[in-house]
Every structure is written in C-alpha cells, then in structure tokens.
C-alpha cells in the first residue's frame, strides 16, 4: 500500500459523510422500531427477541465483509467503497418498505434485511479510517464518525417528534408519521454514501499487494481468515471484549425500553393508551435526539482528552457519566428534566463510537484492518444476542416487566463496564 498523505479537515469530513446516512437508519432502529412493534401488538417480554436481527446480522455480516474487503480492489471504486454502496442500496430499499408492515412478523423480517444492509455499509467505514489516515489523524477520523453518528441520529429522533405533529392519523397498520420518517431515512442513506464515494479516493495497493489479491482463493477463505484472526487477536482486544459485554448489553436494554419508561414515569401510560403513548414516543425521540446533539458537540473534544489523558481513562470516565444518567432516568416525572439525565449518555455515546478503536488500532496489523474491525463489531453484537435471548426472562421474572427497572439495570451494567475499562493494558500509547 502506498504511503499515507496528510488529508485536510474537509477531506476527512467528506470521507465520513456516508456515516451520517447509516446512522440515521440506526437512529430509526433504536427509537422507532420498538414503538412499531408495540403498535403491532407486541408484549413487553417479546421485544428483546424481536430485536435479535440486529446482533445476529452484525455477527455474521460485519466480520465477513471485513475479511472480503481486505481482499478486494476495484480500479473504479476501490477497496471499501463497493461495500458502502451495496449496503446503502439494500438499506434504502428496506426503509422504503418498512412502513408498509401489516403484521408484527413482517416488521421483524424487514428488520433483518435492514440490519444486514446497515452492517454491510458500516463495517468497512472503520477500516477506511485505518487505511487512509496515519496515526496522528486517526483520532480525528474516528471521532468524525462519532460526530456524524450524533448528527444522523439527532435528525432521526427529531423526525419522531416533528412528523407526528405534521402527519396526523393512521395509514395502513401504522401511524402516518412512520412513513415520513422512514422515507426520509431512505433518501439520507443512499445520498450520503454516494457523496462519500464521489469525494473520497482510496490508497491503491502496491504491485506486490495487487498480485496477491489476484491469486485464486477458496470460497471459504474469508471464514478461515476470520477464525485465524481471532486466534491471533491481540490481548487488548480480548480486554475490550469484556468491556463491550456489559456496555452493549446495557445499551440494548435502554433502546428497547426508553419509550415505555418515559410513558410510565411521565404520562403514567402504557402502549394500550395509544394517544398518550404516541406522545411519549415523540418526546423520547426528542430526548434521544438531544443525547445525539451532545454526542456531536463533544466528539472532537474527546480526541484532545484521549491524547492528553489516554483513551482508556477518557472512556472509563464517559461510561461513568452515562451510568449516572441511566440510573436517574426512570425516576424523573418532569419530562423536561429527562434532558439533563440523558446528557450523560450523550457524552458516553460520543466515546463509545470512537475512543475504543483508539485503544486497539495501534496493535492491529494494517493488512488485517478490515477483518479486525469486523471482529470488534462481533464484540458489539454478541452481547446484544445474549441480551435478546436472556433479557425477556430477566425482565419478566426479576424486574417485574417494568421498563423503568430495565433502565436502572442498564445503568448498573455501565458501571461494571467502566471498571473493566480501567483494567485494559495497551502495548502502545497514542502520542
């Protein structure tokens, strides 16, 4: 691979614009899919298993796409960009279809396709930063993704607050505002990725690397590469896996239960009261939009703190702030005070989207960036799979099927994740 050259701020920004559309889609998944399930008649303890699509597709798709993209080169599109494009097209088409869900299982099926598209588009983005930016610019690249994560999810959540005020009534089985939110997401998904593809050039492989890419391979080689990479995985990545176990289990608990928690604590309403619950969903969208505003406001500041104090200390502190917010969240009865509690999660979310990658990227061999970024995402989705398979039972038998208790449980798990972060040891330190 040719030597990396310094890129301007605007070149790094253009490179990551596509992340905005991907994260708009993820924002809809986090805040809109559970209410859609509720509108279609799901019970509280069914919600976790109905979200199994996200972690399972992430587990299967991300490392596979990472391994494939490591071995790809297209003279026109490059190494990672072909996968952005395929994922964005699949995601955009599914977002168009989602509002037409007429049953619970149709919505669940479309979520599987949507997640596959999102994961196909997102995984190579992490590797693109490692490919194109040197050690000095990588923190800015990863935190630029945190910025666009915040921006994309802010707009997704704002649509859940604003569109119900504009698009009144029901179309088919779902409220009309669902159509507007998902149609806008479809446009953002494809348009932002096309912008990044047009504005970004990837570093071409050397002649020697190109010859290796042309060698005939077994169809099982990507799977062999994944298992080989796991066997050779740096110790710091195993330590990060423990952090992620508690961190991502907690976040799935929050996303699945935030709307119902707000409905109970502020409106004293359940999904059976559709008018009050719709109002709670809209307000939760605004609250979740706010934590993403916080995310893109603090994302770049965390780069400086990570260089000064170490990525590990910054991430541990951000997890602590997020945990305090979660612990306070279900006890708040004044809807305006929810913004103060969720600010802590906004700071934590900014760190989660970028800082952990700084802990491990210097220990990863450059020729395996793609597969290892996919394995890091396996570390995200495995806790989510565990959550979807176990939390319904925990919620029903230990937490009284009360979504407010689920948020408290999430706060405790983030505190455990913080402690695990402090035990991470790196070989190399960011200068």
């Amino acid at each position: 691979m040719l030597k990396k050259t310094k890129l301007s701020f605007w070149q790094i920004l253009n490179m990551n614009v596509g992340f905005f559309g991907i994260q708009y889609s993820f924002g809809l998944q986090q805040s809109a899919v559970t209410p859609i399930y509720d509108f279609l008649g799901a019970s509280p303890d069914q919600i976790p298993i109905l979200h199994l699509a996200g972690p399972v597709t992430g587990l299967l798709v991300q490392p596979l796409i990472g391994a494939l993209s490591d071995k790809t080169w297209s003279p026109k599109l490059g190494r990672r960009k072909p996968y952005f494009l395929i994922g964005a097209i699949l995601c955009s088409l599914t977002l168009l279809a989602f509002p037409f869900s007429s049953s619970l299982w149709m919505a669940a099926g479309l979520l599987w396709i949507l997640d596959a598209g999102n994961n196909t588009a997102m995984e190579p983005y992490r590797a693109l930063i490692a490919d194109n930016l040197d050690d000095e610019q990588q923190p800015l690249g990863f935190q630029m993704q945190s910025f666009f994560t915040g921006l994309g999810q802010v707009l997704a959540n704002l649509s859940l607050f604003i569109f119900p005020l504009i698009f009144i009534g029901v179309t088919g089985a779902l409220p009309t505002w669902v159509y507007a939110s998902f149609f806008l997401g479809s446009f953002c998904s494809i348009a932002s990725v096309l912008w990044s593809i047009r504005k970004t050039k990837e570093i071409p492989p050397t002649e020697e690397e190109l010859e290796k890419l042309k060698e005939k391979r077994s169809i099982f080689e990507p799977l062999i590469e994944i298992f080989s990479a796991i066997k050779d995985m740096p110790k710091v990545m195993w330590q990060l896996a423990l952090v992620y176990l508690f961190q991502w289990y907690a976040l799935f608990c929050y996303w699945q239960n935030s709307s119902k928690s707000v409905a109970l604590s502020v409106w004293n309403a359940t999904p059976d009261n559709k008018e009050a619950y719709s109002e709670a969903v809209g307000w939760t969208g605004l609250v979740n939009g706010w934590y993403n505003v916080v995310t893109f406001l603090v994302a770049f500041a965390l780069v400086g703190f990570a260089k000064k104090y170490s990525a590990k200390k910054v991430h541990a502190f951000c997890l602590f702030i997020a945990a305090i917010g979660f612990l306070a969240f279900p006890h708040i009865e004044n809807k305006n005070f929810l913004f103060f509690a969720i600010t802590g999660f906004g700071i934590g979310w900014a760190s989660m989207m970028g800082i952990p990658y700084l802990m491990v990227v210097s220990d990863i061999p450059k020729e395996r960036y793609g597969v290892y970024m996919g394995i890091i995402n396996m570390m995200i989705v495995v806790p989510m799979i565990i959550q979807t398979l176990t939390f319904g039972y925990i919620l029903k038998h230990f937490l009284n099927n009360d979504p407010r208790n689920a948020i408290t449980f999430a706060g405790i798990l983030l505190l455990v994740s913080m402690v695990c972060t402090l035990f991470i040891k790196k070989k190399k330190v960011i200068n």
Side-chain angles (χ1 to χ4, degrees), residues 224-241:
I224 295 170
E225 172 63 14
I226 291 167
F227 287 113
S228 172
I230 292 173
K231 181 176 69 71
D232 300 334
M233 199 160 72
K235 183 179 178 181
V236 68
M237 287 184 64
W238 289 109
Q239 294 169 330
L240 183 64

PDB file of all heavy atoms in Angstrom, residues 224-241:
ATOM      1  N   ILE A 224     -12.049 -18.689   7.001  1.00  0.00           N
ATOM      2  CA  ILE A 224     -10.765 -19.135   7.541  1.00  0.00           C
ATOM      3  C   ILE A 224      -9.988 -17.943   8.100  1.00  0.00           C
ATOM      4  O   ILE A 224      -9.380 -18.018   9.173  1.00  0.00           O
ATOM      5  CB  ILE A 224      -9.949 -19.870   6.448  1.00  0.00           C
ATOM      6  CG1 ILE A 224     -10.667 -21.163   6.033  1.00  0.00           C
ATOM      7  CG2 ILE A 224      -8.534 -20.163   6.933  1.00  0.00           C
ATOM      8  CD1 ILE A 224     -10.080 -21.823   4.798  1.00  0.00           C
ATOM      9  N   GLU A 225     -10.038 -16.828   7.365  1.00  0.00           N
ATOM     10  CA  GLU A 225      -9.337 -15.620   7.802  1.00  0.00           C
ATOM     11  C   GLU A 225      -9.906 -15.082   9.114  1.00  0.00           C
ATOM     12  O   GLU A 225      -9.171 -14.647   9.994  1.00  0.00           O
ATOM     13  CB  GLU A 225      -9.426 -14.551   6.702  1.00  0.00           C
ATOM     14  CG  GLU A 225      -8.905 -13.167   7.085  1.00  0.00           C
ATOM     15  CD  GLU A 225      -7.425 -13.146   7.416  1.00  0.00           C
ATOM     16  OE1 GLU A 225      -6.709 -14.122   7.118  1.00  0.00           O
ATOM     17  OE2 GLU A 225      -6.981 -12.141   7.997  1.00  0.00           O
ATOM     18  N   ILE A 226     -11.227 -15.135   9.259  1.00  0.00           N
ATOM     19  CA  ILE A 226     -11.864 -14.654  10.494  1.00  0.00           C
ATOM     20  C   ILE A 226     -11.393 -15.481  11.688  1.00  0.00           C
ATOM     21  O   ILE A 226     -10.967 -14.939  12.715  1.00  0.00           O
ATOM     22  CB  ILE A 226     -13.399 -14.713  10.370  1.00  0.00           C
ATOM     23  CG1 ILE A 226     -13.893 -13.669   9.356  1.00  0.00           C
ATOM     24  CG2 ILE A 226     -14.053 -14.451  11.735  1.00  0.00           C
ATOM     25  CD1 ILE A 226     -15.334 -13.871   8.937  1.00  0.00           C
ATOM     26  N   PHE A 227     -11.439 -16.813  11.557  1.00  0.00           N
ATOM     27  CA  PHE A 227     -11.025 -17.674  12.672  1.00  0.00           C
ATOM     28  C   PHE A 227      -9.530 -17.538  12.956  1.00  0.00           C
ATOM     29  O   PHE A 227      -9.098 -17.565  14.119  1.00  0.00           O
ATOM     30  CB  PHE A 227     -11.393 -19.131  12.379  1.00  0.00           C
ATOM     31  CG  PHE A 227     -12.862 -19.410  12.482  1.00  0.00           C
ATOM     32  CD1 PHE A 227     -13.616 -19.738  11.364  1.00  0.00           C
ATOM     33  CD2 PHE A 227     -13.520 -19.319  13.704  1.00  0.00           C
ATOM     34  CE1 PHE A 227     -14.978 -19.991  11.460  1.00  0.00           C
ATOM     35  CE2 PHE A 227     -14.885 -19.566  13.813  1.00  0.00           C
ATOM     36  CZ  PHE A 227     -15.612 -19.904  12.688  1.00  0.00           C
ATOM     37  N   SER A 228      -8.741 -17.368  11.916  1.00  0.00           N
ATOM     38  CA  SER A 228      -7.302 -17.158  12.098  1.00  0.00           C
ATOM     39  C   SER A 228      -7.028 -15.853  12.839  1.00  0.00           C
ATOM     40  O   SER A 228      -6.181 -15.795  13.736  1.00  0.00           O
ATOM     41  CB  SER A 228      -6.602 -17.143  10.732  1.00  0.00           C
ATOM     42  OG  SER A 228      -5.252 -16.770  10.874  1.00  0.00           O
ATOM     43  N   ALA A 229      -7.767 -14.803  12.456  1.00  0.00           N
ATOM     44  CA  ALA A 229      -7.584 -13.506  13.112  1.00  0.00           C
ATOM     45  C   ALA A 229      -7.992 -13.558  14.583  1.00  0.00           C
ATOM     46  O   ALA A 229      -7.340 -12.962  15.452  1.00  0.00           O
ATOM     47  CB  ALA A 229      -8.378 -12.426  12.382  1.00  0.00           C
ATOM     48  N   ILE A 230      -9.070 -14.292  14.879  1.00  0.00           N
ATOM     49  CA  ILE A 230      -9.491 -14.442  16.282  1.00  0.00           C
ATOM     50  C   ILE A 230      -8.411 -15.163  17.076  1.00  0.00           C
ATOM     51  O   ILE A 230      -8.084 -14.783  18.211  1.00  0.00           O
ATOM     52  CB  ILE A 230     -10.832 -15.187  16.371  1.00  0.00           C
ATOM     53  CG1 ILE A 230     -11.961 -14.314  15.788  1.00  0.00           C
ATOM     54  CG2 ILE A 230     -11.153 -15.573  17.818  1.00  0.00           C
ATOM     55  CD1 ILE A 230     -13.290 -15.025  15.669  1.00  0.00           C
ATOM     56  N   LYS A 231      -7.816 -16.218  16.475  1.00  0.00           N
ATOM     57  CA  LYS A 231      -6.749 -16.973  17.154  1.00  0.00           C
ATOM     58  C   LYS A 231      -5.540 -16.083  17.454  1.00  0.00           C
ATOM     59  O   LYS A 231      -4.915 -16.200  18.518  1.00  0.00           O
ATOM     60  CB  LYS A 231      -6.332 -18.160  16.285  1.00  0.00           C
ATOM     61  CG  LYS A 231      -5.239 -19.033  16.893  1.00  0.00           C
ATOM     62  CD  LYS A 231      -4.962 -20.238  16.025  1.00  0.00           C
ATOM     63  CE  LYS A 231      -4.296 -19.855  14.713  1.00  0.00           C
ATOM     64  NZ  LYS A 231      -2.890 -19.410  14.897  1.00  0.00           N
ATOM     65  N   ASP A 232      -5.232 -15.162  16.523  1.00  0.00           N
ATOM     66  CA  ASP A 232      -4.058 -14.295  16.676  1.00  0.00           C
ATOM     67  C   ASP A 232      -4.392 -12.950  17.318  1.00  0.00           C
ATOM     68  O   ASP A 232      -3.556 -12.049  17.341  1.00  0.00           O
ATOM     69  CB  ASP A 232      -3.438 -14.029  15.299  1.00  0.00           C
ATOM     70  CG  ASP A 232      -2.985 -15.312  14.616  1.00  0.00           C
ATOM     71  OD1 ASP A 232      -2.685 -16.290  15.328  1.00  0.00           O
ATOM     72  OD2 ASP A 232      -2.935 -15.333  13.365  1.00  0.00           O
ATOM     73  N   MET A 233      -5.589 -12.801  17.845  1.00  0.00           N
ATOM     74  CA  MET A 233      -6.073 -11.495  18.294  1.00  0.00           C
ATOM     75  C   MET A 233      -5.215 -10.925  19.423  1.00  0.00           C
ATOM     76  O   MET A 233      -4.899 -11.631  20.391  1.00  0.00           O
ATOM     77  CB  MET A 233      -7.529 -11.612  18.751  1.00  0.00           C
ATOM     78  CG  MET A 233      -8.273 -10.302  18.808  1.00  0.00           C
ATOM     79  SD  MET A 233     -10.076 -10.554  18.776  1.00  0.00           S
ATOM     80  CE  MET A 233     -10.378 -11.230  20.399  1.00  0.00           C
ATOM     81  N   PRO A 234      -4.824  -9.639  19.335  1.00  0.00           N
ATOM     82  CA  PRO A 234      -4.049  -9.019  20.405  1.00  0.00           C
ATOM     83  C   PRO A 234      -4.795  -9.062  21.743  1.00  0.00           C
ATOM     84  O   PRO A 234      -6.035  -8.992  21.778  1.00  0.00           O
ATOM     85  CB  PRO A 234      -3.885  -7.570  19.924  1.00  0.00           C
ATOM     86  CG  PRO A 234      -4.113  -7.613  18.456  1.00  0.00           C
ATOM     87  CD  PRO A 234      -5.077  -8.720  18.217  1.00  0.00           C
ATOM     88  N   LYS A 235      -4.042  -9.134  22.831  1.00  0.00           N
ATOM     89  CA  LYS A 235      -4.631  -9.246  24.169  1.00  0.00           C
ATOM     90  C   LYS A 235      -5.564  -8.083  24.474  1.00  0.00           C
ATOM     91  O   LYS A 235      -6.616  -8.244  25.109  1.00  0.00           O
ATOM     92  CB  LYS A 235      -3.522  -9.311  25.213  1.00  0.00           C
ATOM     93  CG  LYS A 235      -4.033  -9.511  26.632  1.00  0.00           C
ATOM     94  CD  LYS A 235      -2.879  -9.593  27.625  1.00  0.00           C
ATOM     95  CE  LYS A 235      -3.408  -9.742  29.051  1.00  0.00           C
ATOM     96  NZ  LYS A 235      -2.287  -9.795  30.031  1.00  0.00           N
ATOM     97  N   VAL A 236      -5.199  -6.888  23.995  1.00  0.00           N
ATOM     98  CA  VAL A 236      -6.009  -5.704  24.295  1.00  0.00           C
ATOM     99  C   VAL A 236      -7.419  -5.841  23.731  1.00  0.00           C
ATOM    100  O   VAL A 236      -8.386  -5.322  24.295  1.00  0.00           O
ATOM    101  CB  VAL A 236      -5.324  -4.424  23.768  1.00  0.00           C
ATOM    102  CG1 VAL A 236      -5.296  -4.389  22.240  1.00  0.00           C
ATOM    103  CG2 VAL A 236      -5.996  -3.171  24.306  1.00  0.00           C
ATOM    104  N   MET A 237      -7.568  -6.588  22.628  1.00  0.00           N
ATOM    105  CA  MET A 237      -8.897  -6.769  22.056  1.00  0.00           C
ATOM    106  C   MET A 237      -9.740  -7.712  22.922  1.00  0.00           C
ATOM    107  O   MET A 237     -10.958  -7.529  23.035  1.00  0.00           O
ATOM    108  CB  MET A 237      -8.798  -7.283  20.619  1.00  0.00           C
ATOM    109  CG  MET A 237      -8.332  -6.222  19.639  1.00  0.00           C
ATOM    110  SD  MET A 237      -8.317  -6.789  17.909  1.00  0.00           S
ATOM    111  CE  MET A 237     -10.066  -7.091  17.623  1.00  0.00           C
ATOM    112  N   TRP A 238      -9.126  -8.719  23.534  1.00  0.00           N
ATOM    113  CA  TRP A 238      -9.871  -9.573  24.465  1.00  0.00           C
ATOM    114  C   TRP A 238     -10.340  -8.761  25.669  1.00  0.00           C
ATOM    115  O   TRP A 238     -11.453  -8.962  26.175  1.00  0.00           O
ATOM    116  CB  TRP A 238      -8.986 -10.733  24.928  1.00  0.00           C
ATOM    117  CG  TRP A 238      -8.730 -11.762  23.867  1.00  0.00           C
ATOM    118  CD1 TRP A 238      -7.553 -11.986  23.210  1.00  0.00           C
ATOM    119  CD2 TRP A 238      -9.663 -12.695  23.329  1.00  0.00           C
ATOM    120  NE1 TRP A 238      -7.691 -12.990  22.296  1.00  0.00           N
ATOM    121  CE2 TRP A 238      -8.978 -13.463  22.338  1.00  0.00           C
ATOM    122  CE3 TRP A 238     -11.002 -12.974  23.570  1.00  0.00           C
ATOM    123  CZ2 TRP A 238      -9.587 -14.474  21.613  1.00  0.00           C
ATOM    124  CZ3 TRP A 238     -11.624 -13.983  22.848  1.00  0.00           C
ATOM    125  CH2 TRP A 238     -10.929 -14.714  21.883  1.00  0.00           C
ATOM    126  N   GLN A 239      -9.497  -7.837  26.126  1.00  0.00           N
ATOM    127  CA  GLN A 239      -9.874  -6.982  27.255  1.00  0.00           C
ATOM    128  C   GLN A 239     -11.027  -6.058  26.870  1.00  0.00           C
ATOM    129  O   GLN A 239     -11.959  -5.839  27.654  1.00  0.00           O
ATOM    130  CB  GLN A 239      -8.660  -6.174  27.717  1.00  0.00           C
ATOM    131  CG  GLN A 239      -7.550  -7.033  28.301  1.00  0.00           C
ATOM    132  CD  GLN A 239      -6.262  -6.266  28.518  1.00  0.00           C
ATOM    133  OE1 GLN A 239      -5.951  -5.311  27.810  1.00  0.00           O
ATOM    134  NE2 GLN A 239      -5.497  -6.682  29.514  1.00  0.00           N
ATOM    135  N   LEU A 240     -10.977  -5.529  25.638  1.00  0.00           N
ATOM    136  CA  LEU A 240     -12.059  -4.679  25.161  1.00  0.00           C
ATOM    137  C   LEU A 240     -13.359  -5.477  25.037  1.00  0.00           C
ATOM    138  O   LEU A 240     -14.443  -4.951  25.282  1.00  0.00           O
ATOM    139  CB  LEU A 240     -11.686  -4.062  23.814  1.00  0.00           C
ATOM    140  CG  LEU A 240     -12.709  -3.087  23.217  1.00  0.00           C
ATOM    141  CD1 LEU A 240     -12.877  -1.862  24.104  1.00  0.00           C
ATOM    142  CD2 LEU A 240     -12.303  -2.660  21.803  1.00  0.00           C
ATOM    143  N   ALA A 241     -13.255  -6.756  24.677  1.00  0.00           N
ATOM    144  CA  ALA A 241     -14.448  -7.598  24.548  1.00  0.00           C
ATOM    145  C   ALA A 241     -15.212  -7.675  25.868  1.00  0.00           C
ATOM    146  O   ALA A 241     -16.453  -7.681  25.878  1.00  0.00           O
ATOM    147  CB  ALA A 241     -14.054  -8.996  24.081  1.00  0.00           C
TER     148      ALA A 241
END
